[in-house]
């Protein structure tokens, strides 16, 4: 698919003609919202407000309740938790699990947990979805700290953003960058390319059980089409 991508037209070039992934495709496959404000990421480092923390350390602590060390430690993938304006998703998820895992002396997250703990857990989960699913980098582990400024916003503000258009724009950019002759890696939401190809290119699509019942009682009936 990458070899058939033409960055001049943002289309896949086949013998039968050209076709491309559209905003409607993204919305149907992922159920991400189309309408809303533009997703605008601010990469300006926050000012230092605490003597023993850098600006990004304090900002990450505000969002997640965790303070990543800038030197010394490394996560399970060998990356430092905080480096060059990026935070390790592996480190964040390991720390939040340790915080709520009784085996490590943590307190399990339940309905009786504080609103602060629930809020932190939900924001880290969304951060993982952004950095690991919809906007992954080639490392598939590091995420720009700039996303934290959006995650720190109100739930209404996050829900009123056009995430589908941001995902599509990033996908086009990833395909354009990967189509260069010398490039050997690709980032972006490649699962969307796979699902789109299965849906539109029948000769490579997996076989579907014609007797599959997607009735109202099926657990995936009301999920995004990509889940099915």
């Amino acid at each position: 698919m990458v070899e058939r991508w033409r960055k001049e037209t943002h289309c896949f070039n086949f013998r039968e003609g050209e076709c491309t992934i559209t905003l409607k495709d993204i919305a149907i496959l992922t159920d991400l919202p189309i309408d809303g404000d533009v997703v605008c990421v601010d990469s300006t480092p926050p000012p230092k407000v605490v003597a023993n923390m850098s600006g990004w350390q304090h900002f990450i602590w505000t969002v997640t309740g965790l303070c990543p060390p800038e030197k010394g430690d490394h996560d399970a993938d060998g990356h430092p938790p905080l480096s060059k304006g990026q935070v390790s998703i592996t480190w964040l998820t390991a720390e939040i699990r340790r915080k709520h895992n009784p085996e490590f002396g943590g307190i399990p997250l339940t309905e009786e947990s504080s609103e602060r703990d629930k809020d932190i857990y939900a924001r880290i989960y969304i951060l993982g979805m952004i950095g690991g699913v919809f906007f992954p980098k080639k490392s598939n582990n590091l995420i720009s700290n700039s996303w934290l400024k959006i995650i720190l916003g109100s739930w209404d503000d996050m829900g009123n953003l056009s995430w589908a258009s941001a995902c599509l724009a990033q996908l086009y950019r990833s395909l354009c960058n990967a189509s260069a002759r010398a490039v050997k890696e690709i980032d972006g939401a490649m699962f969307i390319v796979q699902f789109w190809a299965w849906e539109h290119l029948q000769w490579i699509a997996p076989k579907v059980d014609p007797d599959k019942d997607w009735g109202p009682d099926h657990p995936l009936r009301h999920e995004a089409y990509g889940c099915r």
Side-chain angles (χ1 to χ4, degrees), residues 69-80:
E70 289 188 306
K71 298 179 180 179
D73 294 342
H74 288 75
D75 62 23
D77 296 319
H79 297 287

Side-chain angles (χ1 to χ4, degrees), residues 107-182:
I107 302 174
L109 193 68
T110 65
E111 293 184 1
E112 288 72 32
S113 298
S114 68
E115 291 301 317
R116 168 67 173 165
D117 283 342
K118 294 178 183 178
D119 186 82
I120 288 175
Y121 197 92
R123 291 179 191 274
I124 291 180
Y125 182 86
I126 293 175
L127 191 64
M129 291 289 289
I130 290 175
V133 179
F134 295 111
F135 305 94
K137 295 190 173 185
K138 293 177 182 178
S139 68
N140 204 32
N141 175 55
L142 301 175
I143 181 172
S144 173
N145 293 337
S146 304
W147 287 110
L148 292 165
K149 295 186 178 181
I150 294 180
I151 298 301
L152 186 59
S154 70
W155 291 107
D156 288 338
D157 289 343
M158 281 192 286
N160 290 331
L161 295 175
S162 179
W163 290 102
S165 59
C167 186
L168 181 63
Q170 176 67 21
L171 187 62
Y172 278 9
R173 182 179 182 181
S174 297
L175 288 167
C176 288
N177 291 338
S179 64
R181 184 180 299 272

